[in-house]
Amino acid sequence: MTYDAVVVGSGPNGLAAAITLAAAGRHVHVVEAEDTPGGGTRSAELTLPGFVHDVCSTIQPLLLASPFFRALPLADLGVELVHPEIPYAHPLPDGRAGVLRRDVMETAEALGDDKAAYVRLMRPLVEHWQDVVADTLKPLRPPRHPLTMARFGLKAVQSAAGLARTRFVTDEAQSLVSGAAAHSMLPLDRSPTAGVALMLAMLAHAVGWPAVRGGSQVLADALVKDLERLGGTITLGTRVEDASQVPRAKAVLFDVTPSQLVAIAGDRLPGRYRNALTRYRYGPGIFKVDWALDGPIPWTNADVARAGTVHVGGTLEEVAAAERAPHDGAHADKPYVLLVQQTVFDRSRAPAGKHTAWAYCHVPHGSTVDMTDAIERQVERFAPGFRDLVLARSTRDSEQVQRHNANYVGGDINGGVQDLRQQFFRPVARWTPYRTPVKGVYLCSSSTPPGGGVHGMCGYWAAKAALRRELR
């Protein structure tokens, strides 16, 4: 059978590409290596029966901000988004915490001497969040909202450490920057870590940091349902290791990273382009722990106990040192720990009276070092008695993370370093970065603009490029 388009990989971007093409009336087929669809939006009982854990992504603000997802009837597809009372918090020594609440003023009120500075920084961004999102979730093009993007860009190109130190004097305010900036997996003294922090804080105020009730797998299954409603099809458990295995189609869109594309189709790629793909840079890996818990995490600070996401790492200086370590090939003794406590706001994920949580820290690329003790010591530091609640745990080092999802090369869950160079020029510098020099072959993974995150826009833009060219 010959299709209009075949998509290799069923992560959020692969499914977004397939849905965009199917909605345009094209005959689309998806091929997925694993036995369940979803890529980074899969869920499983990793510890004990009845405890639902998200294998990677849980908190998904871009579902409410991404133009692709905002156009989907998520509720009709069975997707219910649930919000924690507090989007994110950052415990500090002596029981203090930086706490980001949905309302800008409520957040600022708790920042003491930094109240006015926080309002000056965040209120203009929140008021124009849709313009910022529209101009950042796309390939590099002249902005549609130049004044807004100029104001955002002047701050975004700074380092998070620089922004935090020049804007704020309190540990609480600085922690709101450093904790969010560390999602970038870059040292905090590098650009554009300030932009990552501002974007995430802006979204937390504007749309919240929600999760899908019942687990991220619900979202993946809903996307497959929508694809099939539009006439598309999917095959699971079929790994593509050579381009000859791909069903015949006018266009093939690969939801894979550059190194995978070289392995699959390297002999068909022009030498110069293939060499450019081999120079693509991947970032640090992660070490992840999922816990089945006998009760909620006993945080010393009551506000932290109500947050969906907790950035565990202490002061700005501590977080900066922890995030520098993996780039220097080291494992931090006190790592920055990104923790999500799902059952604080979604009780469907565990048996009555029980809880789930997951956490990861950043480690050198491809690391096989067991960071369980280091992560749990950090949590215990701000939540004494935490370890007594652990009923079971599941751990994955960076190599195991990649084995579970081939797109996480060396444990890099962002699909490649997202510094200024690779934020927009990913995987190579091309006006249409999704289109390869081979006719009908496209990349649609997070290794293309706008990069990592559950937003589907890499797949959306790749599909639009294919529709303009091979599938007109």
Side-chain angles (χ1 to χ4, degrees):
M1 178 181 291
T2 299
Y3 299 94
D4 290 324
V6 169
V7 178
V8 178
S10 70
N13 286 309
L15 290 174
I19 289 170
T20 302
L21 293 168
R26 305 305 186 266
H27 189 198
V28 183
H29 184 66
V30 176
V31 181
E32 166 58 43
E34 304 298 331
D35 293 330
T36 54
T41 53
R42 284 180 282 173
S43 306
E45 292 183 342
L46 299 177
T47 56
L48 298 173
F51 289 81
V52 178
H53 302 277
D54 292 326
V55 176
C56 185
S57 172
T58 293
I59 301 299
Q60 293 156 354
L62 287 167
L63 290 185
L64 293 171
S66 157
F68 169 74
F69 278 110
R70 290 177 68 197
L72 293 185
L74 290 178
D76 294 341
L77 294 168
V79 176
E80 179 187 356
L81 297 179
V82 287
H83 290 262
E85 181 182 345
I86 293 171
Y88 71 82
H90 189 124
L92 293 162
D94 305 321
R96 296 172 296 136
V99 181
L100 189 140
R101 294 176 168 83
R102 286 291 303 274
D103 185 77
V104 172
M105 285 304 302
E106 285 184 20
T107 302
E109 290 288 350
L111 297 179
D113 291 341
D114 284 324
K115 173 184 174 180
Y118 188 84
V119 173
R120 284 196 302 271
L121 178 65
M122 293 309 304
R123 180 176 278 169
L125 294 178
V126 175
E127 289 175 348
H128 298 282
W129 73 269
Q130 290 178 307
D131 295 345
V132 174
V133 166
D135 276 326
T136 53
L137 292 187
K138 65 180 182 65
L140 185 61
R141 297 288 188 273
R144 295 170 56 190
H145 310 92
L147 293 180
T148 297
M149 289 308 295
R151 288 193 292 266
F152 174 71
L154 288 173
K155 303 178 184 73
V157 296
Q158 300 178 49
S159 73
L163 179 75
R165 291 185 179 118
T166 56
R167 293 272 179 166
F168 302 124
V169 297
T170 66
D171 287 339
E172 290 85 346
Q174 289 183 351
S175 76
L176 295 182
V177 176
S178 64
H183 285 243
S184 69
M185 301 177 75
L186 293 169
L188 299 194
D189 59 358
R190 288 191 189 175
S191 173
T193 49
V196 173
L198 292 173
M199 173 66 77
L200 291 176
M202 177 192 75
L203 291 175
H205 287 306
V207 299
W209 277 20
V212 177
R213 186 182 297 280
S216 295
Q217 187 68 53
V218 173
L219 174 64
D221 293 343
L223 292 177
V224 171
K225 180 180 177 181
D226 196 44
L227 172 64
E228 293 175 339
R229 177 185 65 84
L230 294 166
T233 54
I234 184 170
T235 297
L236 301 173
T238 301
R239 186 173 300 277
V240 173
E241 296 179 330
D242 187 89
S244 63
Q245 298 172 282
V246 179
R248 292 181 61 187
K250 298 174 184 176
V252 181
L253 289 79
F254 287 92
D255 184 7
V256 303
T257 66
S259 62
Q260 292 164 273
L261 183 63
V262 170
I264 293 169
D267 58 343
R268 305 187 183 192
L269 300 172
R272 185 174 179 181
Y273 182 78
R274 183 178 62 248
N275 292 338
L277 294 185
T278 61
R279 292 193 298 270
Y280 185 76
R281 293 171 295 126
Y282 296 92
I286 66 166
F287 184 95
K288 182 171 181 281
V289 186
D290 287 271
W291 294 288
L293 301 172
D294 199 29
I297 298 175
W299 301 104
T300 301
N301 185 286
D303 284 330
V304 177
R306 297 195 293 273
T309 300
V310 183
H311 300 141
V312 186
T315 63
L316 167 63
E317 288 71 25
E318 289 180 287
V319 174
E323 289 303 278
R324 165 59 61 181
H327 288 266
D328 292 340
H331 296 78
D333 182 57
K334 292 183 177 180
Y336 161 83
V337 175
L338 200 164
L339 184 148
V340 176
Q341 43 191 8
Q342 304 95 327
T343 40
V344 165
F345 58 105
D346 181 5
R347 297 295 301 125
S348 71
R349 295 170 180 247
K354 310 301 179 183
H355 284 262
T356 64
W358 67 243
Y360 64 73
C361 69
H362 300 143
V363 293
H365 185 86
S367 168
T368 58
V369 172
D370 188 337
M371 296 293 287
T372 305
D373 182 63
I375 288 174
E376 293 187 348
R377 278 191 285 108
Q378 279 288 70
V379 179
E380 188 84 15
R381 175 184 170 193
F382 299 99
F386 162 73
R387 278 179 158 167
D388 296 335
L389 298 173
V390 177
L391 299 172
R393 62 174 63 82
S394 170
T395 65
R396 282 196 173 106
D397 62 31
S398 289
E399 277 195 0
Q400 293 167 326
V401 167
Q402 180 175 343
R403 283 202 296 271
H404 185 79
N405 187 334
N407 275 10
Y408 296 158
V409 177
D412 178 358
I413 60 175
N414 271 345
V417 172
Q418 285 195 237
D419 55 13
L420 271 181
R421 184 172 127 205
Q422 279 195 180
Q423 174 66 39
F424 298 106
F425 301 117
R426 54 194 296 130
V428 298
R430 290 172 65 88
W431 180 252
T432 305
Y434 317 96
R435 183 163 56 86
T436 76
V438 179
K439 179 177 173 57
V441 176
Y442 294 79
L443 267 175
C444 66
S445 70
S446 60
S447 299
T448 63
V454 181
H455 46 64
M457 294 305 292
C458 305
Y460 172 84
W461 291 117
K464 289 293 187 182
L467 286 169
R468 284 195 302 271
R469 200 166 181 89
E470 277 79 19
L471 302 177
R472 285 180 292 185

